[in-house]
Structure formats: structure tokens, C-alpha cells
Amino acid sequence: MSHGLVKRLSLCICTALLVASCAKQNKQAFYNTGIIYCSESNPVTFNPQLDTSSTTSDATSHQLYDRLLDFDPNSGRIVPSLASSWLVSDDGLTYAFQLRKDVWFHTTNYFKPTRNFNADDVIFSINRWRLRSHPYHYVSGGRYPYFESIGLAQNIASVERVNGYRVEITLKRRDSSFLSNLATDFAVILSEEYAAQLAEAGTPSKIDELPVGTGPFKFNSYRKDHFIKYLRHDNYWRTQALEEDDNSDSNLTSELQSLSQQQKLEAPLVDQLIFDITPRSSLRLAKLMTGECDATAFPAQTELEVIRTEDDLTLAEKPGLNIGFWAFNTQRPPFDNPDVRRALAAAIDKNTLLEAVYFDSATRAKTLLPAASWAFQNDADDTAYNPVLARKLLADAGVAPGFSMTIWAMPVERAYNPNATKMAELIQRYLRDVGVEATIVSYDWTTFRRHLQEGLHDSVLIGWSADNGDPDNFYRPLLSCGAIPSGTNRAMWCNDDYDKLLNQALQTDDIEERTAIYRQVNRLLYERLPLVPIAHAYRYQAYRNELEGMTINPFGGVRFGGVEKTL
Amino acid sequence: MIQILVRYCTLFVLTLLVLTIISFSLAYLFPGDTLENLTGLVPQNEIQRAALEKQFKLDQSYVIQFIYYVGNLLTGDWGYSFTSGLPLREEVGIAMPATIELATYAMLMALFIGIPLGYYAGIRCYSTSDHLINSTSITTYSFPVFWFALLLILIFSLQLDVAPLSGRISLIYDIEPVTGFILFDVLLSDIENKSLAFKDALSHLALPTFAIGAITTASMIRITRRSVIDVKHRPYIAAALSRGLSSWQIFFRHILRNALLPILPLMAIQITTLITNAMIVETLFSWPGIGNWLIQAIYQRDYPALRIGMMAVSTVVITLTILVDLFNRMIDPSREKYERATV
């Protein structure tokens, strides 16, 4: 009996193991048809016009939608997307876009397009955030944080339909970053036909919940805290363009060839794209290691070494267009006094923060701009660690020893600040040395951001990832007056000289001239110090070797068009 | 017999009533707005608030509120979750079967491995194999379940890479929840690659089932062994021996059935532990069950979800406990003398 039992038991275990291993071998072909991406959180909405968080743009922007223009991920140049070409008038105020024909919107079980993409969709998409009078403006809250933060709506005089495939946009002032803004993750093109259909049905808000776009994948299902499932968009225009190229590839000009390269980059190559929502970073790494995910968002700094040592995993890195900083609420005394801000800046040792929090995966920030930007200033002034000076400045400004303040540490990890709480603790210690008592405050992410917008903080550790390569994309959303209500100006700082300089920089297309203006801006920021720049982090993306075609998009969200899986 | 049934029903209804009262009062005890805690709906303005208060009878006495609340519970109107905005009934409807499925398989494992091993150890008591089984079961029983589950993940998922560590099935399969039991849902679905999906679901089930099952199995072994040893020393066994019955005959005629009787009520107690363990293990394996769901609700301070979650879990536990006890009562004639229902 004893033998029989042991035998039977071991037989059971063996069968179980066999089943597991069999499943492993047979599943390859099928598993190649879908990519699973472990994302860190729920998207706030399925329309990136409405939210600037990278979670939302990762999940939607390059998957569901297309923009008029795109950034080439390697050169940063602006390349055609839904607009096949464009013309700028001599005065720099009128932009004419020629639109691509034969672009189809998604066919889903809630919407069947009867016409292809045309000028009406462009006008609808832009007017939705531009015009308060637009019927869709106040659907889903009526806040368009990216466009508000750069004040784009105020600068557009008109968006006109010239013919079915030609749109003309007229600006009030010259804006050399205008095209860049149209290429960001947020300037997506929605379907006007779908919107009209929803308005008729009386359910306009569905446009942001059950999305329809022209992108490489279409919406299938979403379960909060669990998953988002997308299916391949069979009529995707880049796929069709690719097929046409294949038929007539004999005498292509080099320009067309490079265009088809770009198209290949973004055509959907798998049947399914799944976002597995996994908030815990360690669990994302574990799932990546077991192959339950093919790629993950935001590997934690402490996990990078593990990923590097695993043979099946690839860790791609690129210097990122981002900035992590410590912003003071300049509307609250005593932080309205630049001397106090300078004192606090001198009290901390940035290099230690860099080592302890970023584990050397970041470079020290002197200004808002990282080295990847063309306006980067190498010899900019920087604050230095000097507790003696800090104490003196504080005493001069009348801040008594034992003064207490709050440091808000953001509760999520971002490339620009992988561990804000730890950084806050370090800063807390530095501040104690100069006689300032700091308390650390944190809420869940949504509440945190809401309270920040209300200005309840003394100082906050947060940052910014750029949406395009233009320097204006750092300076304007982070510190201009217009960015206070939209909630990206965490320092609540408003300075007329600063805004004037920024506007001046947009009046010219000459890069030398603009760079010179941004040098003045840097000087002004160094003197007034509304925030302390801390670090520019590298961007990392971890994925399994099975994925081919993954690239880091330095200008925004992850993209899965053009990614293939071969187990 | 009918009297017993009536008594059990009364016990069941009364316990549920107490639970309902507690869950109802939670809406008042939780911080925040009672209306929001009770319904999960956040009124946008005063007019809407007044309308909702009227609808949920919040403007009337507690008794009427409570009666209305019970009515809502019975008709399946359980309110809405703060975080997802979905009807709680739907959410519990997805999460609860997942937990029950896990617990069922773990229980089956405990029954089919634990009881035979327990019998074996009991019959061969104080032999080497008995000591081996007994000490192994005591060791397993002393493992904290979360630690054991982590150990399994470390060894089988991360090191050996033979089993996945999260979820019920790879998200690549689009399985409609019909029964809520993933294995049955896979079989009922009309996807291609059904056998692949089934294997995938099995491999997802393996580790969490084993983690919960091992501990229940260990306690099952110990309970069974104890009971067998007790029976073995009864005089009627000695009598049977002296009548010249073979040890096999004694086992099948006397020990097997008599030893089972004390096990059943103890099994009812195990159900609570089992479900608690399942809820703990779920969070480790990201199993989308009720435990995981409740933890999320706690993190998000989703009071309506907590209230309904507590109600749902305790209802399941009570129903199962009472059912097992009733079953036990029906097959065990020695308990007929107790008139009252016991749990």
C-alpha cells in the first residue's frame, strides 16, 4: 500500500509538471499573436487630450490614435502622419495641411464608420479643446491640461476647411513650436462622425470611454485595475501603404523609401495588444521574468541591475527629455521671497540625492532643459551645497530656526523621480541641519494632484516629461503664468519678464536667436529660483528578447505599432 | 427531521439578519457621507442629493431605512463602487466565484490527499511512516500561508519558470465569464485553442491551489489520524479482533465510517480558515478574487465595496458552515438527541 500510494502521488505530480511543460511548447504560435504590456496604473481616460499623465498617453496615444504630424523617434524631426504634407506662409501665421486620403477609423461593435478620415475630423478634434462654445468642449470636464498649459487655444485664430482633404490653421502670433505641439501625444485626431452619432444618441461622454481613432489598434475591452484589451486595426492606413509599396517597389525614390520605413515602424504586427495593469513594480518585474508580460512600464531603479543580468530580458536606455525638481509654492510666505528659496536650495546636496535616489541613472540638472534639447546650455549657473550660506540667508530673511514646512512627495514612481519619498527624507535631514523642520506629505496620486492644483503645498518633489523636443515645452508648462490654472506650474510662479521672454522666443524660427533668449531665461530662473532643478533621468524600457521593433520614444508614450513577437 | 430543518433555517436567517444590521450600520460608522457610503453614488448637487435621499428613504426612520436596505440587498441592488463606478453586484459576481473556485480545488486536494494519508498514518500509528507523515503535516501546518506562497513563487515561477505567478489565465485568451469558474468557462467558451487555454488556466491554478491546499491537507491529515487512532482503541475494535476479523475487514467495516464522523464537523471549521487563506494567497498571486478585491477596496477607501464585500464573504462562510453541519446532522444518528441547531 505504501508503495502504491507513493507511486500514485508521484504520478500525479509528474502529470501536473508534464501538462505545464507541454503547454509551454505548444503555445508559441498562438502566443506570438498577442503582446502583453504590464502598465503601472489605470488610464484616467481614453482620450489623451484630457490628461497629461504618461499612463494615459502610454495607453492610448500611439495605440488608438494618430496625429497630424509625428516626431521621428531618432532624429526628433517632424514627419508627416495624417497630414501628408504642409505649407507655412511667409509670415509664419498660416499653416496649410494636406490630409492623407484612404485613412479609416476603427470599426468596433459600437461604431461603424461610413466615411474615411477627412478635414471635418481635424476641425472637430482641434475645436473641441480650442472653443468653449464647441458642443463637445465641456463633455468629460472641459479641461485640456496640455493645451491650456501652453496657451495654444488662445493663439489659434481659426481652423478652416479648404476642401475635404485640406485644412488651414491661422495663428494670431508666430509660434515656432506650433508644429511640435501638433505632433505631441495629446494632439490626437478623433472621429467627427462618431461624435455626431453619440450626440444624437445623447451619450456624448462615451467618446472618451469607448474610443474610436485611426491608430494601429482598436479598443476591445477594459476592466479597471485589471486590463485593457486592444485588437489589431485591419484597415490601418500604414499597413495599406506598406502593401502598396510592396506591389510597386521597383522605382521608389529614396524619400519614399524612408517614408515607408517610418510606416513600417508603426503598422500593427500582432492581433492583440493587452495592457496588464500591475501597480506594484516588483510584480511587474516578476511577470516580465516569467514571461507573463512582454514589456513593462517604469522599471524601478533598484531593479535595473536584475534586468541587466537576466539573459532573456533587454533593457533599453536613452537619455530622457525630462526634469525632476523641487518646486516651492511661491504664493505662500515665506516662499515668496527668492532669498528663502535660494537658502533652501543651498541647504541640499544635489549630488547625494542623485546617487541615493537615482543610483547614477540620471544627470545633474542645472536648468530645466536636458542635454538632449538643442537649447541646452552647458555653462548655466547652478546652485551649490552651502549650509552656512543657507543659514545666513534664512536668518537675513527673518525665518526663525525651527521654522516648519511641508515637502510633498509624489506617491508614484516616474523616471524623473523614482522615489520621491526617499528624496524627501534626505532633504528633510539636510533642512534640519539649517534649522528647518520639514514634514513629508503624500496622498494617492489623484488626490495629490488635485491638492497641488489647489496650492495646499509648501514645496513639492515632482517633475516633468517633455511631450516634444521643443524647449518651450519645458519652460512654458512648468513656470508660465498661464500654467497655474491648468495645474502644471507647481511653483504657482508668475513672472511677467519670464513670460515675455518665452513669447519672444517663439517669434523667431532662428535657432541661434532662440537659444540666446533661453540663456536669458535660465539666468532669470537662477536668480528667482521658483524651483530647484535636480536631475534629468535616463529613460528605461525593459522587455523580453522575443519582442522585435521596440524603441524608446523620447517624445512621449510607448508605441506598439511595428512591434513583433517571436517566441 | 422537519423540526431540525426549521431550526437550521431560523439560525441561518437570524445570523444573516445580524450581519445585515452590522453592514447597514457600517454606512453610518464609516467616515464620510452616509448616503455615499450606502449607495456609492456621489450626488453632484443638492437637488440630486435630496432626490437620492428620498429614494433611499434616508429622510425616514432607521427602521424604514433598514427595511428598504434589506429589500435592495434581496433584489440585487447593492450600490456602486466608488472607484470603478460599476454595480457592486457585478464586481462581487466576478470576484466571488474566483475565490470559491480556488477554495474548492484546495478543499478537493485536502480531501483526496489528506484523508487517505490520515487514515494510513492512523492505522500505522507510531510507525516510521506515520512519524514521517505526521511530522511533515505538522511542519506544513505551521507554515504561514503567505510565506509558503511566496516560497512557491520564488521556486516554481522565478527560478524554475514552470508556472505563472499571477492571474487566472493569460490575458491573451478572451474568456467570457459564465459560471465564474475559470476551468468551466474555458470549456464553455467558443475560442480557438481551447486546449491551450485550459492548460494555461491549469498552470495558473497550480501554485495558488497548492499553497492553500497544502495547509488544509496538513490539518486534514492530523484530524483524520487522531480520529482513526481514537476509533482504533475503542472496545468494539478489540471485540472485532477477537472475533477473528482480518485487519482489512476491521478497517472497512468499523474504522472507515466511524472515524469519518468526527471529521465532518471539524471540516466545517476548516472552511473559514480555507477562505481566509484563499483571500491571503489571492493577493500574492494577483488572483482576481474577493480577497484581492477587498484589499483594493481598503486601499482606495471604497466604503460601499467594503460593506458589501464583508456581507458577501460572511454570507458564503455561514451558508457553507450551516450546510456542512446540517449534512453532518443528517448522517450522524448519535447527534439526534440535540434538539437545537449547532454551528
Side-chain angles (χ1 to χ4, degrees):
Chain A
M1 181 154 180
S2 137
H3 269 288
L5 239 166
V6 172
K7 240 188 211 163
R8 232 171 296 160
L9 249 179
S10 52
L11 204 77
C12 273
I13 293 169
C14 282
T15 347
L17 286 178
L18 218 89
V19 165
S21 66
C22 273
K24 223 169 170 58
Q25 280 160 15
N26 296 340
K27 66 186 182 185
Q28 285 174 351
F30 177 68
Y31 279 57
N32 276 340
T33 60
I35 294 177
I36 302 178
Y37 174 73
C38 278
S39 67
E40 77 288 2
S41 185
N42 295 304
V44 177
T45 157
F46 281 96
N47 179 356
Q49 292 179 331
L50 295 163
D51 187 49
T52 49
S53 83
S54 66
T55 313
T56 305
S57 50
D58 273 349
T60 59
S61 193
H62 290 273
Q63 274 52 266
L64 295 172
Y65 298 103
D66 281 308
R67 291 137 296 278
L68 283 180
L69 310 163
D70 265 332
F71 290 108
D72 181 302
N74 298 316
S75 66
R77 276 198 344 217
I78 289 170
V79 292
S81 180
L82 288 181
S84 53
S85 64
W86 62 93
L87 279 172
V88 188
S89 66
D90 289 339
D91 60 2
L93 288 178
T94 309
Y95 292 75
F97 294 94
Q98 181 64 42
L99 305 179
R100 215 173 276 278
K101 291 165 189 170
D102 298 326
V103 175
W104 285 92
F105 281 99
H106 301 151
T107 304
T108 62
N109 46 24
Y110 47 86
F111 175 66
K112 291 207 172 19
T114 59
R115 62 164 175 82
N116 52 14
F117 157 77
N118 67 26
D120 293 336
D121 300 308
V122 177
I123 295 171
F124 169 79
S125 307
I126 296 179
N127 280 350
R128 179 169 175 195
W129 51 260
R130 187 174 80 91
L131 299 175
R132 299 234 163 114
S133 56
H134 193 269
Y136 265 89
H137 186 81
Y138 287 103
V139 170
S140 310
R143 304 308 305 247
Y144 301 87
Y146 178 74
F147 302 107
E148 281 175 34
S149 69
I150 55 171
L152 196 59
Q154 288 79 32
N155 195 25
I156 297 180
S158 68
V159 182
E160 299 288 338
R161 174 196 165 113
V162 180
N163 61 42
Y165 294 98
R166 203 173 173 84
V167 173
E168 219 169 67
I169 303 179
T170 314
L171 302 183
K172 290 178 186 153
R173 279 171 283 110
R174 275 183 83 126
D175 179 354
S176 46
S177 69
F178 177 65
L179 288 179
S180 302
N181 286 327
L182 286 189
T184 54
D185 287 357
F186 316 110
V188 297
I189 300 297
L190 312 169
S191 165
E192 185 267 342
E193 191 192 358
Y194 181 48
Q197 207 171 305
L198 288 178
E200 205 167 298
T203 52
S205 63
K206 279 214 173 119
I207 195 169
D208 303 319
E209 293 156 15
L210 296 172
V212 166
T214 57
F217 294 96
K218 60 184 183 186
F219 182 82
N220 181 25
S221 59
Y222 167 51
R223 211 177 132 205
K224 196 169 184 249
D225 294 327
H226 291 272
F227 58 76
I228 315 169
K229 290 188 179 181
Y230 294 139
L231 294 175
R232 172 198 174 99
H233 178 197
D234 289 324
N235 290 330
Y236 188 51
W237 60 272
R238 279 187 169 106
T239 320
Q240 288 166 346
L242 258 183
E243 281 158 9
E244 281 161 27
D245 280 356
D246 284 346
N247 295 337
S248 59
D249 60 347
S250 48
N251 44 8
L252 278 173
T253 63
S254 65
E255 195 184 340
L256 261 176
Q257 256 166 1
S258 75
L259 196 71
S260 76
Q261 276 299 313
Q262 168 74 18
Q263 281 158 1
K264 204 174 257 168
L265 260 171
E266 296 223 1
L269 299 174
V270 287
D271 296 339
Q272 276 200 76
L273 173 64
I274 297 154
F275 280 62
D276 181 353
I277 299 166
T278 316
R280 282 217 316 271
S281 164
S282 53
L283 187 57
R284 287 201 297 276
L285 175 65
K287 284 188 182 181
L288 188 69
M289 286 165 74
T290 59
E292 281 162 77
C293 293
D294 300 306
T296 77
F298 303 107
Q301 308 288 335
T302 44
E303 294 160 2
L304 296 178
E305 229 14 76
V306 183
I307 300 171
R308 283 198 188 97
T309 52
E310 284 283 319
D311 290 337
D312 327 344
L313 307 182
T314 308
L315 183 71
E317 60 179 43
K318 221 174 199 178
L321 280 173
N322 58 51
I323 166 85
F325 54 78
W326 182 28
F328 304 106
N329 185 348
T330 55
Q331 295 189 352
R332 285 194 164 197
F335 308 102
D336 52 349
N337 180 351
D339 283 337
V340 174
R341 305 198 290 258
R342 210 167 5 235
L344 295 173
I348 61 165
D349 182 4
K350 283 204 236 173
N351 286 345
T352 312
L353 298 185
L354 236 60
E355 272 170 39
V357 180
Y358 297 88
F359 299 99
D360 289 324
S361 61
T363 51
R364 184 184 167 116
K366 295 175 180 174
T367 68
L368 293 183
L369 286 187
S373 166
W374 50 259
F376 175 68
Q377 185 189 355
N378 203 12
D379 55 351
D381 302 296
D382 193 6
T383 55
Y385 177 48
N386 190 340
V388 181
L389 175 73
R391 262 193 295 266
K392 185 179 166 300
L393 281 172
L394 282 176
D396 290 351
V399 175
F403 166 75
S404 69
M405 64 180 284
T406 57
I407 302 174
W408 287 40
M410 59 170 192
V412 292
E413 60 219 52
R414 287 283 183 261
Y416 52 69
N417 196 338
N419 192 341
T421 314
K422 188 173 174 191
M423 190 184 277
E425 282 161 5
L426 288 165
I427 291 179
Q428 191 180 32
R429 289 251 283 288
Y430 280 121
L431 293 185
R432 195 170 296 149
D433 290 345
V434 297
V436 175
E437 283 304 320
T439 37
I440 300 169
V441 177
S442 195
Y443 294 97
D444 77 272
W445 188 217
T446 323
T447 323
F448 189 81
R449 297 207 300 176
R450 198 179 63 234
H451 286 338
L452 276 186
Q453 199 161 349
E454 289 162 5
L456 300 180
H457 57 295
D458 286 340
S459 72
V460 60
L461 287 168
I462 200 164
W464 177 257
S465 280
D467 315 297
N468 67 49
D470 199 280
D472 196 61
N473 194 254
F474 281 89
Y475 290 109
R476 191 175 297 273
L478 287 181
L479 288 168
S480 70
C481 301
I484 298 178
S486 68
T488 51
N489 184 342
R490 308 298 188 192
M492 319 289 275
W493 188 65
C494 184
N495 181 302
D496 291 338
D497 293 338
Y498 179 82
D499 279 22
K500 220 174 278 169
L501 281 172
L502 289 191
N503 290 335
Q504 201 184 327
L506 292 188
Q507 298 303 312
T508 168
D509 288 324
D510 182 16
I511 286 199
E512 293 299 316
E513 218 173 300
R514 282 187 76 187
T515 312
I517 296 172
Y518 288 124
R519 291 177 84 94
Q520 291 180 45
V521 172
N522 288 344
R523 183 71 210 163
L524 179 73
L525 286 184
Y526 173 69
E527 280 162 8
R528 311 294 298 181
L529 216 68
L531 52 80
V532 188
I534 292 174
H536 304 293
Y538 289 117
R539 266 183 85 129
Y540 293 97
Q541 200 158 60
Y543 53 92
R544 292 185 68 82
N545 295 345
E546 290 94 71
L547 287 195
E548 258 170 58
M550 281 290 278
T551 47
I552 295 185
N553 171 15
F555 307 105
V558 60
R559 59 175 78 172
F560 286 98
V563 181
E564 206 170 359
K565 186 171 166 188
T566 41
L567 273 171
Chain B
M1 193 65 226
I2 290 169
Q3 201 185 358
I4 295 175
L5 272 179
V6 171
R7 281 186 187 279
Y8 272 89
C9 282
T10 338
L11 178 72
F12 181 65
V13 170
L14 280 178
T15 323
L16 280 189
L17 191 70
V18 172
L19 272 173
T20 323
I21 292 174
I22 294 174
S23 90
F24 174 72
S25 52
L26 277 180
Y28 289 86
L29 297 172
F30 279 141
D33 184 23
T34 310
L35 175 69
E36 289 172 24
N37 288 342
L38 198 62
T39 60
L41 300 167
V42 181
Q44 301 299 325
N45 50 44
E46 282 309 310
I47 302 166
Q48 214 179 343
R49 165 177 295 275
L52 278 174
E53 276 179 358
K54 201 169 174 70
Q55 189 196 332
F56 286 90
K57 313 262 188 271
L58 282 184
D59 46 354
Q60 300 187 30
S61 75
Y62 286 126
V63 179
I64 296 190
Q65 283 179 42
F66 179 69
I67 292 170
Y68 185 71
Y69 175 72
V70 175
N72 273 345
L73 280 184
L74 289 177
T75 51
D77 183 3
W78 295 356
Y80 294 84
S81 156
F82 273 161
T83 45
S84 67
L86 291 174
L88 286 167
R89 198 177 113 104
E90 195 178 299
E91 297 225 318
V92 173
I94 295 175
M96 198 50 140
T99 305
I100 294 179
E101 181 178 34
L102 207 55
T104 310
Y105 298 148
M107 197 62 184
L108 287 179
M109 174 178 159
L111 291 182
F112 285 104
I113 298 178
I115 293 186
L117 274 182
Y119 268 107
Y120 180 71
I123 287 166
R124 300 277 162 94
C125 59
Y126 312 123
S127 70
T128 324
S129 49
D130 169 47
H131 285 310
L132 200 73
I133 292 175
N134 202 20
S135 51
T136 317
S137 79
I138 288 177
T139 322
T140 320
Y141 188 66
S142 342
F143 284 158
V145 65
F146 57 89
W147 180 80
F148 187 56
L150 279 179
L151 207 69
L152 288 178
I153 289 179
L154 265 181
I155 297 172
F156 291 101
S157 294
L158 295 177
Q159 295 296 324
L160 299 176
D161 204 5
V162 290
L165 58 79
S166 73
R168 305 176 81 181
I169 189 164
S170 171
L171 287 174
I172 212 161
Y173 301 102
D174 217 354
I175 308 285
E176 253 334 281
V178 183
T179 60
F181 278 48
I182 191 76
L183 289 183
F184 295 109
D185 281 349
V186 169
L187 292 178
L188 288 174
S189 69
D190 50 359
I191 53 162
E192 306 164 48
N193 304 303
K194 208 183 257 188
S195 66
L196 267 183
F198 194 74
K199 281 175 192 161
D200 191 70
L202 271 184
S203 71
H204 276 87
L205 266 169
L207 290 190
T209 310
F210 188 67
I212 309 164
I215 287 162
T216 317
T217 310
S219 51
M220 222 64 217
I221 292 177
R222 293 182 49 226
I223 294 169
T224 318
R225 177 178 174 274
R226 192 67 255 160
S227 162
V228 170
I229 293 178
D230 278 351
V231 171
K232 242 176 77 169
H233 292 116
R234 291 284 167 83
Y236 57 81
I237 301 290
L241 261 177
S242 61
R243 272 189 280 135
L245 268 70
S246 74
S247 53
W248 276 110
Q249 282 169 320
I250 294 178
F251 176 75
F252 282 111
R253 285 196 197 157
H254 299 288
I255 299 182
L256 186 65
R257 282 171 54 185
N258 284 317
L260 264 182
L261 281 180
I263 299 176
L264 272 169
L266 290 169
M267 244 177 75
I269 297 171
Q270 286 294 314
I271 290 174
T272 328
T273 329
L274 191 70
I275 290 192
T276 316
N277 281 343
M279 287 166 67
I280 294 169
V281 166
E282 268 169 20
T283 45
L284 291 169
F285 285 96
S286 319
W287 189 266
I290 195 88
N292 209 347
W293 184 77
L294 274 176
I295 295 263
Q296 289 305 324
I298 292 170
Y299 280 150
Q300 320 265 2
R301 298 194 178 79
D302 191 345
Y303 297 120
L306 280 177
R307 185 171 47 80
I308 288 299
M310 165 235 146
M311 193 69 209
V313 172
S314 35
T315 309
V316 168
V317 170
I318 287 170
T319 316
L320 285 177
T321 316
I322 289 190
L323 278 181
V324 172
D325 203 64
L326 184 66
F327 176 68
N328 188 29
R329 181 69 174 259
M330 285 158 131
I331 61 163
D332 184 358
S334 69
R335 290 183 63 194
E336 215 126 85
K337 57 179 183 273
Y338 302 109
E339 266 189 2
R340 292 176 192 283
T342 49
V343 182

